[in-house]
Amino acid sequence: MSGKTKTEIAIYAVVCLAILLVPLFLDDAFLLNKYARYLVLGMLAIALSLSWGYAGILNLGQATTFGLGSYCMAMALKLKTIPVHTGSDGLPDFMVWNNVAELPWFWKPFYSMSFGVAAGILIPVLFAALLGWFMFRGRVTGVYAAITTLAAMVVVQLLIIDQQAYTGGFNGITDLAQFDVAGFAFDAYGPAIYYLVAICLTASLFVALAITKSKAGLIVQAIRDEEDRVRFFGYDVALYKIFIFSVSGAIAGLAGMLYTIVMEFASPTFLGVPISLSVVIWVAVGGRQSLLGAMLGALVVTGMQGALSESETFLDSWTLIMGLLFVLVVLFLPKGIAGAVETIAGRFERRRVLARRRSKRADAVGTARHLESLP
């Protein structure tokens, strides 16, 4: 393991530790819930950084896997509630309103929370793998891949809205039970859910980092830079792209499940164009070729967005300010905040190395002169 990697791991660990310590200094249920939401969105930024920054796949439909994970968790939590309006078999309320006679077959496995959690990761992975198989086996790249992911997201969103009797349509799935593990309930406004999100964020960050440092991760980065050359060396380029695209989908699916637990509902807006484009902005601001930078970019931008939108002074102009911020970052920080920090750190390192060389050279000259002065 190189010194740079050790330093990188240490920085990641310090940031994650700082995130985990927040509840010790904050005794406000509303703020804990809000910060937990920001952390979830940070996970979504990590997912996009993995596919865009490291593999060169701009996924404009990242919200698809996020939304699928969200709906899987919502279905499992919905079946644990005691609905106000129920049919003979305890149907979810929106099914009763739409005259559904019995629970559809694809809802029944979600009586098991374990199945719901597994589905929240596996279904996004299967979706990403299937979409990736069609795109990358067909050598769809660049802007065409971005448009394909965006189109797929719109199709899935319209499908969910259209099937109102089974998905809740525009209203989504609401009135959910609390998520619990072995009888321990995670209150959406308690410190437990914050810790759950923070731990999942830490795990996602380090898993993604480990992948980028592995042989597969290095090949993916080589594909990003010189796809044809990697193919010439005999590597299955499409397979590696599908792999990283699926891992990105898994992280986004996990983030979607956590978002439903924190927000206490699932909505088709979770699969919308606005959130997908927002993720691109977060990652661009933070630095797409840095997992930590992308995550911090999401925290900074969503934090600023929340503060400005809640302020009476900026109530009508906060979107303009956020747009201006994005334009400035793209113009003056093309590699994002992480790229700027890396450039500054590189300059300091070069100066330190030059200073050390000059010191050694001065010592050598001094020693030579001393030897020449000896009789």
Side-chain angles (χ1 to χ4, degrees), residues 179-198:
F179 178 68
D180 70 89
V181 176
F184 182 81
F186 289 85
D187 184 357
Y189 290 87
I193 188 63
Y194 180 90
Y195 283 122
L196 177 65
V197 173

Side-chain angles (χ1 to χ4, degrees), residues 149-203:
T149 55
L150 183 64
M153 181 188 67
V154 173
V155 169
V156 174
Q157 187 191 32
L158 290 176
L159 187 64
I160 288 177
I161 293 173
D162 183 64
Q163 297 298 316
Q164 182 172 343
Y166 308 110
T167 63
F170 278 110
N171 298 322
I173 303 177
T174 58
D175 297 326
L176 305 179
Q178 284 187 343
F179 178 68
D180 70 89
V181 176
F184 182 81
F186 289 85
D187 184 357
Y189 290 87
I193 188 63
Y194 180 90
Y195 283 122
L196 177 65
V197 173
I199 290 171
C200 290
L201 171 72
T202 303

Side-chain angles (χ1 to χ4, degrees), residues 122-286:
L122 293 178
I123 290 178
V125 167
L126 289 174
F127 176 84
L130 187 62
L131 183 62
W133 189 85
F134 280 109
M135 286 196 305
F136 306 133
R137 289 294 178 195
R139 298 196 180 184
V140 178
T141 58
V143 67
Y144 301 104
I147 293 171
T148 303
T149 55
L150 183 64
M153 181 188 67
V154 173
V155 169
V156 174
Q157 187 191 32
L158 290 176
L159 187 64
I160 288 177
I161 293 173
D162 183 64
Q163 297 298 316
Q164 182 172 343
Y166 308 110
T167 63
F170 278 110
N171 298 322
I173 303 177
T174 58
D175 297 326
L176 305 179
Q178 284 187 343
F179 178 68
D180 70 89
V181 176
F184 182 81
F186 289 85
D187 184 357
Y189 290 87
I193 188 63
Y194 180 90
Y195 283 122
L196 177 65
V197 173
I199 290 171
C200 290
L201 171 72
T202 303
S204 301
L205 195 59
F206 278 96
V207 167
L209 181 64
I211 290 173
T212 60
K213 300 297 180 186
S214 67
K215 181 182 176 183
L218 295 176
I219 293 172
V220 165
Q221 292 172 62
I223 292 172
R224 175 197 63 195
D225 297 334
E226 287 287 348
E227 182 172 330
D228 290 336
R229 185 172 293 183
V230 175
R231 185 177 286 113
F232 176 77
F233 281 118
Y235 290 102
D236 190 339
V237 170
L239 184 63
Y240 283 99
K241 281 189 169 183
I242 293 170
F243 166 70
I244 208 73
F245 201 59
S246 301
V247 174
S248 173
I251 294 174
L254 177 60
M257 286 196 293
L258 293 170
Y259 203 62
T260 290
I261 296 171
V262 173
M263 297 293 287
E264 299 183 297
F265 70 94
S267 165
T269 58
F270 295 173
L271 297 91
V273 174
I275 190 170
S276 258
L277 297 184
S278 296
V279 186
V280 175
I281 294 174
W282 305 337
V283 175
V285 170

